[in-house]
Amino acid sequence: MLVARSLTKEYPSGTSSLAVLKDVSFSVPQGAFLSIVGPSGSGKTTLLGLLAGLDTATRGTIELDGTDLGQLSEDQRAQLRGEKVGFIFQSFQLIPTLTAMENVQVPLELRGDRDAEERARALLERVGLGHRLDHFPTQLSGGEQQRVAIARAFSNRPRILFADEPTGNLDVTTGATIVALLEELNRESGSTVVIVTHDLALAQRAHRMIRLRDGVVVEDVATASAPVTGGAAAGGGVSAPGAQPGAAVTTPLPGTTATAGAPGASA
Amino acid sequence: MAATLGQLSRLAWRESRTARRRLLLYMSSISLGVAALVAIDSFASNVTRSIREQSRALLGGDISLNSNAKWTVQQDSIFGALTAKGATLAKQVQFASMATSPGSQATRLAQVRAVGRGFPIYGEITTSPPGQYERIHDAPIAVVDEQLLQVLNVKVGDTLAVGQGRFQIAGTLADVPGDPGLSSIVGPRVYIGDEFLNTTGLLVFGSRAQFEVLVKAPPGIAPAVLLIQYNKKLEEARVRTRTVAENERNLTSAIGQLGDFLGIVGLVALLLGGVGVASGVNAFVARKMDTVAVLRCLGATSPQVLFIYVVQSVAMGLVGSGIGVLIGVVTQFALPQVLGDFLPVNVRVALEPRAILTGLAIGSWVALIFSLRPLLALRTVSPLQALRRDADPTVLRVKLADWPRLTVDVAMIVSVVWLAAARAGSYERGFALAAGIAVALLVLAASAASLSWLARKLLRQGWPYVMRQGVANLYRPANQTRAVVLSLGFGAFLVTTLFLVQANLLKQFDGARAASRANLLLFDVQDDQAPGIDSILAAHQQVALQRTPIVTMRIAGINQWNMTQMLDPANPDSVMRATWALRREYRSSYRAKMLDGEKLVAGQWFGRRAARDGEPQAEVSLDKELAKDLGVKLGDIMTWDVQGLKIKTRVTSFREVNWARFEPNFFAVFSPDAIDKAPKTFVVLASVPDAKTVMQVQRDVVGRFSNVSAIDLTLVQRTVSGIVDKVALAVRFLAVFALAIGIPVLISAVAATRRARLREGVLLKVLGATQAQISRILLAEYALLGVLGALTGMVLSFGGAWAVMTFVFKVEVALAAGPALAIAGLMLAITIGIGLLGGRDVFRETPMAALREA
């Protein structure tokens, strides 16, 4: 369960300050598949950074599984990330000096797991890279790199996974397989997945979509991909049960979006 | 559950994969410093251990008794008593004399050593062919230095004339314990049995000779105990004593001092390497920010991150130091070949684990402490950077009260002071050295800051674009001005200081060479032989340039005190007077005028002030250093014992004497009226135009007056030049070595901004800049950096050279701007070279590749 309450982030700008996020509140139940959309500069990445504990909010609180991130020190937040959080980045962010296998092992080794190697191997096989374990990032294609990144993100069995434009650096076909993979893993593992993107098509494949504009939530809706048994409501706080087998492997149907806000806010 | 150190170390090892070579390059900055320390320490302990092992052989006996004059009855009776007690004695007389080949008529000044049976008691003088030394007591034969054979153009089996004596050359000397090989260059050694000394007819009045008796303590009596029993008697009889321990101490302390000086050079080189490590690791840190941000995202705590990169640095520091140790050990094994001639002992080269471990430890510590400071910045890398590529420029900004950083700073300062103190021998000197280094670094930092400031102030829009761009690089954010000026300047400082020290040391000799007009020096000329010498010179159309009288004497009293009173420790007056100066024999002269090489520093030259009532008429002028040691002031009355006659003189002036000149110089010079009636010998100086005439004059003089020695100064000068060249070579080697350290240091300094430069260059290329334009931008920037760094280093080196010459060598310093400028030019060229080399990569990369990477 991830809960954000009245999140505000301001950056000093000359003598005054610039608010990038303004009073943002919502909650995400365990296992949900959520997307955050908005144009450049709307505050998406800032919000992601705050939710993942990479940065601290100027005001407001974030609770991850009942832990108030604001109460933790930098290193305690790092430990929490190591235990409960997974990351996927637009530019993959694999460590260039490590092989695919070793990259996946890093989060496990950082927290002292003994079975790092087995698990890394299993995950890479799961993402279809069982034959490329000892390759370095530069020897892999973009799609392969992102699959390694996904394996790495899931290696520590995260309670929640954050993905920042995960398909941004990939072509359409590769992007689609990556999203499918994310969906599958979301279902299999029961991890919450939060995707930040300005790609509306991708956003639609999540079960729920939050739209930001100028640092304010302007829309919070269930998408067409949302499991039929679940309900969606604007205003936040509504849970969307995850781990529904077969709920979202297909391409979303354009035009069936239940939007409450302006449709013009596309990427 | 947290990661174990093993897991983190494994991660560190894997993560270092591509960075190892680069890190090693940065760490190689310390390799040469470590090499210097290991080589110097190992060799010094090889030498001292060899001296310790061979100490008895080096002295030849348990105790050595010495005198400058023939043994007196009183002295002989002491030797008799020693023999009676069961001690073994062996004698030697050593003096300079001309050795002549009756066949070739060639002559050469030699060191004649007439030795008694059983000399030396310990150690063995070996010859080639073997066994000849043992035969010299049985027949008039001699064993000589190989060199003498060459000079005289004779071979083993030929006859050698020493004075009136004739000796058959039975062999050449292979090894004489306790004698550095170098001593034979000054005068080749000729060993004869003392049974045949009288046949030479030498050792007449005034001849300079060293008389030595070696003593082996009787069984059951320790040499020290024996010495205590006889010390008073020996002292009364004016016999100098030397024990094995004293000899060992003297020899090792000389080696130790040389080792200390070289060790300080090595340490400074190592610290320069440390600066290189710091800037290299700084560059490394800049490259690793992205990876660190990702690691932080993946849950790494800042101590974990720090651990990973400290492990990498320490490992590479260890490898860098290890390479240094290897180079050091190789150098150590080569050193005896180079320095063998200077050493009084056969050095047994062996690995010195202590020196190796010390070098490894100091090197690794310097690598650690200097890399820790930049590495600490990794603690503050935010995981947010993994999300945002436009890295926050404040990421690496340091807080003012950052305790870990302050701790590292303090540890750095403390370890530099401690290392300096350990090398320099005292905390006082350690602080001075560390302060000197700190001042140098501060001056360099200040000049870098002012360069940035000036570049900003002076930049004009009217300048050509490439010029503006290059100059602007000096002050733009993340510029490399400070890093480059600091490393370059410090390197230039070190190299130029070494060079200036060398030049100044050598100048001492050069000055002497240039100043002497004469090239033939005849000494021990007796009063009645002077007209004969003149006629020989006249026969070769030459005249004596200078005829200097020499009178031997001792001090009998100063003011109201006689010698016994002054040597009495109970007398408060004795404290201020150095015993050596009171007891020694003085070879003095008299003349009305001062010499060119002398300078009056106090008082007035002879005859300027009449004696007051009760004052003696005779005047004396003393060397100012001697006056200080004797505790004598102007106006004091000194009484001299001139071969039994007491002469009172007034001290009327002090002189500064240049002892390095090839001229007879004197501690005490008298007004002519004081001692011209005393028994004396002469030193005659002549300027003889060509080598052939020099040889003929020598031959004639020696043929007629066998007691007179002739020195061909050209030969001596050539010998001295040879030695000087060897020393120069050693110091020049040090300078080149410092320069060699400077290069990885500079590369490290430039590395910090290399990537930014590369990206900028590629962007410029995308925007249409040509290779020539980009080169010129780099040229402008690096030329300015180079000029400033090299010049600041040069100015600093004047201070450094002054400090070394004043405090270490205690001689006046002259600053040679020409060579210093040449070094500065060289450093400038290297800087520009390294800068342009980095620019080459700009042209190698396609713009696309570089843009994608960013």
Side-chain angles (χ1 to χ4, degrees), chain B residues 527-795:
Chain B
D527 230 343
D528 57 353
Q529 291 171 333
I533 297 283
D534 282 348
S535 68
I536 291 173
L537 285 171
H540 292 280
Q541 284 90 44
Q542 306 298 329
V543 288
L545 282 178
Q546 193 186 40
R547 193 178 293 119
T548 311
I550 292 175
V551 179
T552 56
M553 57 183 70
R554 289 177 183 278
I555 295 173
I558 298 173
N559 295 337
Q560 72 272 35
W561 311 106
N562 66 29
M563 186 57 79
T564 323
Q565 291 165 330
M566 285 189 293
L567 289 173
D568 181 3
N571 181 359
D573 180 77
S574 75
V575 188
M576 56 188 267
R577 310 196 198 273
T579 312
W580 75 267
L582 289 174
R583 302 190 68 119
R584 66 167 285 141
E585 185 187 66
Y586 286 87
R587 301 170 65 83
S588 308
S589 189
Y590 56 87
R591 53 181 136 83
K593 287 202 171 85
M594 276 206 300
L595 294 180
D596 291 345
E598 297 175 321
K599 207 166 89 188
L600 200 71
V601 290
Q604 288 175 316
W605 192 247
F606 305 141
R608 302 286 157 81
R609 184 178 72 77
R612 297 200 187 93
D613 280 352
E615 280 182 350
Q617 202 65 55
E619 298 176 52
V620 68
S621 168
L622 298 181
D623 168 63
K624 70 164 187 181
E625 295 299 326
L626 176 78
K628 207 197 289 169
D629 283 353
L630 277 175
V632 166
K633 298 179 298 297
L634 286 177
D636 279 0
I637 306 295
M638 290 183 77
T639 310
W640 302 83
D641 178 347
V642 183
Q643 291 145 57
L645 194 67
K646 298 280 193 298
I647 292 178
K648 273 185 185 283
T649 55
R650 277 184 292 143
V651 179
T652 50
S653 67
F654 296 146
R655 288 161 304 130
E656 199 174 272
V657 179
N658 181 359
W659 293 94
R661 279 168 75 109
F662 285 120
E663 276 178 342
N665 284 309
F666 302 95
F667 278 127
V669 172
F670 290 76
S671 53
D673 58 318
I675 54 169
D676 59 352
K677 303 288 181 305
K680 56 190 166 290
T681 62
F682 290 93
V683 171
V684 176
L685 283 173
S687 173
V688 182
D690 58 289
K692 200 172 153 221
T693 322
V694 169
M695 227 177 77
Q696 287 167 346
V697 173
Q698 283 193 59
R699 190 193 56 208
D700 292 355
V701 167
V702 176
R704 194 157 146 202
F705 307 113
S706 61
N707 66 299
V708 174
S709 295
I711 298 180
D712 181 351
L713 286 181
T714 338
L715 210 64
V716 174
Q717 281 167 11
R718 207 177 303 145
T719 307
V720 171
S721 298
I723 300 169
V724 168
D725 288 347
K726 272 195 169 180
V727 176
L729 186 74
V731 183
R732 217 169 288 147
F733 171 75
L734 277 179
V736 170
F737 155 87
L739 202 64
I741 295 179
I743 291 173
V745 172
L746 258 184
I747 292 178
S748 302
V750 172
T753 51
R754 196 181 148 272
R755 258 163 58 115
R757 283 299 128 85
L758 195 64
R759 190 168 142 61
E760 187 181 287
V762 171
L763 279 174
L764 285 172
K765 206 160 83 168
V766 171
L767 299 177
T770 63
Q771 181 162 347
Q773 283 173 316
I774 294 176
S775 293
R776 264 180 273 144
I777 291 172
L778 289 171
L779 187 69
E781 179 184 3
Y782 283 96
L784 281 169
L785 286 173
V787 166
L788 183 81
L791 286 183
T792 314
M794 186 184 103
V795 171

Side-chain angles (χ1 to χ4, degrees), chain A residues 59-75:
Chain A
R59 280 185 297 280
T61 58
I62 298 155
E63 256 176 45
L64 183 61
D65 268 359
T67 310
D68 181 354
L69 295 187
Q71 299 301 310
L72 301 181
S73 72
E74 177 73 35
D75 278 338

Side-chain angles (χ1 to χ4, degrees), chain B residues 21 734 848 850:
Chain B
R21 269 198 5 232
L734 277 179
M848 246 353 259

Side-chain angles (χ1 to χ4, degrees), chain A residues 46 54-55 74-75 78-79 81-82 87 89 93 95 97-98 102 106 109-114 136 152 164, chain B residues 1 3-4 7 10 14-15 17-18 291 294-304 383-384 386-388:
Chain A
T46 304
L54 302 182
D55 201 358
E74 177 73 35
D75 278 338
Q79 270 164 339
R81 282 196 295 274
F87 276 101
F89 306 91
Q93 297 285 26
I95 296 173
T97 49
L98 301 185
E102 289 164 353
V106 169
E109 294 198 311
L110 281 175
R111 57 183 210 181
D113 280 7
R114 301 266 166 218
F136 287 95
R152 181 176 70 183
D164 179 29
Chain B
M1 183 168 52
T4 62
Q7 279 174 315
R10 203 161 53 237
R14 289 181 193 149
E15 203 282 323
R17 227 168 244 139
T18 53
T291 301
V294 173
L295 283 173
R296 300 282 283 142
C297 279
L298 299 180
T301 61
S302 49
Q304 284 178 327
L384 259 187
L387 289 182
R388 297 187 184 279

Side-chain angles (χ1 to χ4, degrees), chain A residues 197-250:
Chain A
T197 182
H198 57 260
D199 174 0
L200 213 54
L202 169 60
Q204 298 286 8
R205 292 178 61 168
H207 305 161
R208 176 178 160 202
M209 183 171 76
I210 290 177
R211 189 187 296 274
L212 284 179
R213 193 184 294 144
D214 295 334
V216 182
V217 176
V218 292
E219 185 183 9
D220 185 347
V221 292
T223 65
S225 310
V228 242
T229 49
V238 179
S239 61
Q244 292 280 338
V249 266
T250 49

